[in-house]
Amino acid sequence: MYGLAKQARCLTLVSAFGLMLGGCAHLDRATLLEHTQRDLALSHPASLTDTSSDINPLLARPLDRAAAERLMLLHSPALRALIRQAEADIAQSAASGRPANPVLGFTRLTGPEVEIERALSIGLFDLLTWPQRQRVSTAAQQQQQLQLSMTLLSELRAVRLAWVDAVAAQQQLSYAEDVAESAAIAGDLADKMQKAGSISALDLARQRAFAAEAANRLTEARLHTQQQRERLIRQLGLNDEQAASLALPEQLPDLPATARSAEQINQRVKEQRLDVRLARAALATAAAEQSLSLPESYTRAELTLHAKRTGPERSQGWELGVALPVFDTGELTRQGMDARTQAAALQLDATLRRAGSSLRSQYGDYLTRFDIARRQRSTLLPLREQIAHENLLRYNGMLISVFELLDSAREQINTVIDTIEAERRFWQADAALESELLGAPTLSTGDQP
C-alpha cells in the first residue's frame, strides 16, 4: 500500500504541475480575437469579438464599403470557419507543449500465490524538456495567430475589391440603360423622319446600328452587374433571403481631394508589417523546435516506478529505459531541423527586402490611378460634353451629318465608361494599398503577367 500511495502522490504532483504550466501557455479565444482585431487596424466599431448576429440594420440601407467589411466580419460563415480552425490549431499547439501523460499499469497473476504488480511510467525526457516544449508551443501559437490575421486581412481586401467592382458595375449598368433608352428614342424618331423624307436611308441605318450597339452594351452590362453582385454576396456570406435585400450605392465614392502623401505612407514601420512579423514568428518557431529536437535526436528515456506484492512479500523499485541510437542516429533529423531554421531565416530576409519594394510599387500604382481618374473626371469628361454639345448645334445648323453626330455621341459614351472604369481602378488601388500598408503584399500592375 505504501508503494501505491507514493506513486499516487507522484502522479498528483506531476498532474498539478502540468495543469499549472499548460494552462498559462494557451492563447484563449478572447485573446486571439483581440490580437487579431488589433493587427487588422479596423477603423469601424465592428469587431471580431462582437457577438451580435443581427445584420438587418446593415442591410436596411445601401451598403457602403465600411458596412460591407463589418457585415463580413459579423456574419460570414467562411470567415468564422477560419477563426474556428485557427482556434483548433492553436489548441493543438498548446497541447503539444505538454508532456505525455504518465501511464499507470496494474498486473495481477495467480499461481501458488497471488502476485500483484503496479507500475507508473513517466516520459523522463518529456519532463526534462518541458520548458523547451512550452517555448515551442508559445512560438507556434503566436505564429498561428499572425497567420490568422494575415488570412483575415486578405479576406477584407477581397470584400473591398468585390464591393468596388459591384458598385462600379451597377453604375455602368445605370448609364448603359440611359444610353440605350436615348438611342431607342432617337431610332424611332429617325424612322419617322425617314418616312417623311427628312433623312436618307443611309442615315437611318446608321441610327439603327447605333441603337443596336447600345442595346448590346446594355445586355453585357446586365450580365456583368449580376456576376459582380453575386461575387460580393459570396464574399459576404449572405443567404438567398439576405441577398435579395442587399442594396448598393448608385455610384462609387467621390475621389479624395488629394492623394495620400509619401510621408503618410512612410510613417508605417516596416517591422510592424504583418508579413514581416509572421516571417519572424516562423523563424522563432523553427529555432525553438530545433532546440527541442536536438537532444531528442540522440536518445529518449522513460522512468518507471514499480510496486510488487507476492503473497505477504512486498517489493518496490524503479526502471530506466533508454532508446539506443543504433538504427537511427538522429543525424538526418538534425540536418532537417537545421535546414528548416535556415530556410525560415532566409524567408525573413526575403520578406524584409520585398516589403519596401512592394510598398513602393503599390503606392506608385495608387498615385497613377488617382491621376488618371482625376484627369478623366475633371478634364476629359467636361471636354467631351462640350464637344457633344457643339456638334449637336452644328448638326441642327446642318453643318455636319448624322454620321459625325453619332461619332461624337460614341466618343462621349466611351469617355463616361472610361471615367467609371478609371474610378473603379483607383478605388481598387486604394484598397490594395490599404492592405499593403498592413503587410499583405499584392500583385501590382507591374507584377502581373
Side-chain angles (χ1 to χ4, degrees):
M1 293 300 293
Y2 172 75
L4 183 59
K6 186 176 180 180
Q7 291 175 12
R9 285 197 297 272
C10 290
L11 178 61
T12 303
L13 288 174
V14 169
S15 300
F17 191 49
L19 289 173
M20 182 180 66
L21 290 184
C24 65
H26 181 222
L27 187 62
D28 58 41
R29 174 180 172 81
T31 307
L32 169 66
L33 296 181
E34 181 183 348
H35 289 182
T36 303
Q37 180 172 317
R38 185 180 56 204
D39 291 340
L40 297 179
L42 298 176
S43 58
H44 45 75
S47 68
L48 293 172
T49 56
D50 191 347
T51 56
S52 171
S53 59
D54 185 12
I55 62 171
N56 291 328
L58 294 174
L59 293 173
R61 56 183 182 274
L63 196 72
D64 59 20
R65 201 187 80 165
E69 296 173 9
R70 184 179 181 186
L71 182 58
M72 185 188 71
L73 292 174
L74 289 175
H75 182 69
S76 171
L79 187 137
R80 293 289 166 181
L82 290 173
I83 295 175
R84 288 298 184 184
Q85 183 60 50
E87 290 180 39
D89 295 340
I90 287 174
Q92 187 173 2
S93 295
S96 68
R98 302 174 181 179
N101 288 326
V103 178
L104 179 63
F106 182 83
T107 304
R108 185 178 185 277
L109 300 176
T110 58
E113 294 183 344
V114 176
E115 182 177 310
I116 297 177
E117 181 177 359
R118 296 173 291 275
L120 178 65
S121 300
I122 302 173
L124 187 59
F125 204 85
D126 289 348
L127 290 178
L128 295 176
T129 59
W130 199 335
Q132 289 93 331
R133 289 183 179 278
Q134 287 290 308
R135 283 195 288 272
V136 172
S137 171
T138 302
Q141 291 178 63
Q142 291 176 348
Q143 181 182 351
Q144 287 159 342
Q145 185 272 316
L146 289 172
Q147 184 59 59
L148 174 63
S149 297
M150 180 69 84
T151 304
L152 295 192
L153 182 58
S154 298
E155 292 295 318
L156 279 174
R157 180 181 60 197
V159 78
R160 289 166 184 160
L161 296 180
W163 181 87
V164 168
D165 289 345
V167 174
Q170 182 171 281
Q171 189 174 352
Q172 289 173 345
L173 173 61
S174 176
Y175 181 69
E177 289 173 342
D178 293 342
V179 171
E181 183 180 4
S182 300
I185 294 174
D188 293 340
L189 180 60
D191 277 339
K192 295 176 182 177
M193 293 176 67
Q194 201 277 331
K195 290 177 182 176
S198 300
I199 62 173
S200 65
L202 178 60
D203 289 339
L204 175 61
R206 286 168 174 164
Q207 186 62 54
R208 286 179 173 175
F210 178 75
E213 290 172 0
N216 280 343
R217 192 177 293 113
L218 175 60
T219 303
E220 290 284 350
R222 283 175 176 158
L223 175 62
H224 182 63
T225 301
Q226 190 262 341
Q227 291 175 337
Q228 295 305 318
R229 179 183 172 87
E230 294 300 331
R231 174 185 161 206
L232 177 61
I233 288 171
R234 289 193 297 272
Q235 198 66 42
L236 294 174
L238 302 180
N239 58 32
D240 292 344
E241 183 180 354
Q242 293 164 342
S245 61
L246 175 65
L248 295 174
E250 295 181 354
Q251 59 184 25
L252 291 169
D254 295 335
L255 296 176
T258 57
R260 302 187 194 204
S261 65
E263 288 75 16
Q264 290 176 302
I265 303 301
N266 293 330
Q267 284 177 354
R268 300 280 184 171
V269 181
K270 185 189 299 184
E271 296 292 330
Q272 295 178 355
R273 290 172 55 96
L274 267 177
D275 53 351
V276 173
R277 292 169 56 198
L278 182 59
R280 199 178 297 284
L283 175 59
T285 303
E289 288 176 344
Q290 186 176 12
S291 67
L292 173 64
S293 300
L294 182 60
E296 282 186 344
S297 64
Y298 289 100
T299 186
R300 292 186 62 84
E302 185 176 89
L303 177 65
T304 304
L305 304 177
H306 291 276
K308 185 175 181 181
R309 188 184 70 184
T310 305
E313 297 181 359
R314 299 173 183 272
S315 60
Q316 55 184 317
W318 54 273
E319 173 188 351
L320 179 64
V322 179
L324 299 178
V326 176
F327 303 110
D328 181 8
T329 60
E331 182 181 358
L332 295 178
T333 302
R334 292 189 291 276
Q335 287 181 359
M337 295 303 300
D338 185 59
R340 273 193 284 273
T341 303
Q342 291 184 17
L346 291 172
Q347 185 61 43
L348 172 60
D349 188 29
T351 303
L352 284 168
R353 296 185 186 191
R354 187 174 57 238
S357 175
S358 179
L359 180 58
R360 289 192 296 273
S361 178
Q362 194 59 56
Y363 184 56
D365 185 57
Y366 166 84
L367 288 180
T368 300
R369 299 304 166 196
F370 177 77
D371 288 342
I372 292 176
R374 183 179 57 179
R375 190 176 301 112
Q376 196 77 29
R377 171 65 67 179
S378 61
T379 303
L380 275 175
L381 193 58
L383 285 176
R384 286 298 180 194
E385 290 175 351
Q386 181 183 357
I387 291 172
H389 178 69
E390 293 295 332
N391 280 330
L392 180 61
L393 294 178
R394 290 163 62 85
Y395 174 75
N396 291 338
M398 303 183 69
L399 297 178
I400 62 174
S401 65
V402 172
F403 182 74
E404 292 172 292
L405 182 64
L406 292 177
D407 273 352
S408 177
R410 288 191 183 93
E411 290 173 351
Q412 185 184 10
I413 292 170
N414 290 334
T415 300
V416 173
I417 294 174
D418 289 346
T419 300
I420 297 174
E421 175 64 13
E423 292 178 349
R424 182 188 73 86
R425 300 189 72 173
F426 164 74
W427 286 114
Q428 280 193 328
D430 181 75
L433 179 61
E434 198 167 328
S435 299
E436 177 70 46
L437 288 172
L438 291 175
T442 55
L443 283 178
S444 64
T445 305
D447 296 327
Q448 296 173 359

